[in-house]
Amino acid sequence: MSKAHLLISGRVQGVTFRASTKKKAQSLGLKGWVRNTEDGKVETVVEGEQEKIEKLIDWCKQGPSLAKVQNIEVDWKEEQEGFSNFEVRY
């Protein structure tokens, strides 16, 4: 099991980024959460197999069709939180 913290910047709010991220993460069998930040970014914490997390990161580089991703900061973590699902947080 691996864990990553992602901070995604660009035009990523108001373009279904959170809902699309949740759907993609669930399709990969990943657990964690995604939310908007006050400074206009999208933040997500995800746990699962590293290969599947890397697939989610690759997907986040594009995001949904209306998004314009400029940058993704990835911070790999060692500790696990043991999430039971993947959710959108508000």
Side-chain angles (χ1 to χ4, degrees):
M1 290 284 285
S2 294
K3 178 180 177 182
H5 176 260
L6 312 177
L7 201 54
I8 304 153
S9 58
R11 190 176 73 182
V12 293
Q13 291 190 7
V15 293
T16 71
F17 206 101
R18 289 175 299 162
S20 298
T21 301
K22 177 182 176 181
K23 184 177 179 181
K24 183 64 176 177
Q26 288 176 326
S27 75
L28 292 167
L30 299 170
K31 311 286 187 206
W33 54 264
V34 62
R35 69 178 175 193
N36 286 342
T37 64
E38 290 183 12
D39 62 355
K41 298 176 183 174
V42 169
E43 177 182 28
T44 185
V45 173
V46 60
E47 292 180 346
E49 295 176 29
Q50 184 167 341
E51 179 180 309
K52 291 181 179 182
I53 293 174
E54 289 171 355
K55 286 182 181 181
L56 180 67
I57 293 168
D58 286 342
W59 177 87
C60 285
K61 290 176 182 176
Q62 286 289 109
S65 61
L66 295 176
K68 298 282 188 232
V69 177
Q70 293 177 340
N71 188 48
I72 300 178
E73 296 173 37
V74 180
D75 185 17
W76 291 95
K77 305 280 188 179
E78 290 187 22
E79 74 278 359
Q80 301 295 307
E81 294 183 45
F83 299 113
S84 60
N85 60 12
F86 197 95
E87 65 185 20
V88 175
R89 292 189 176 174
Y90 298 94

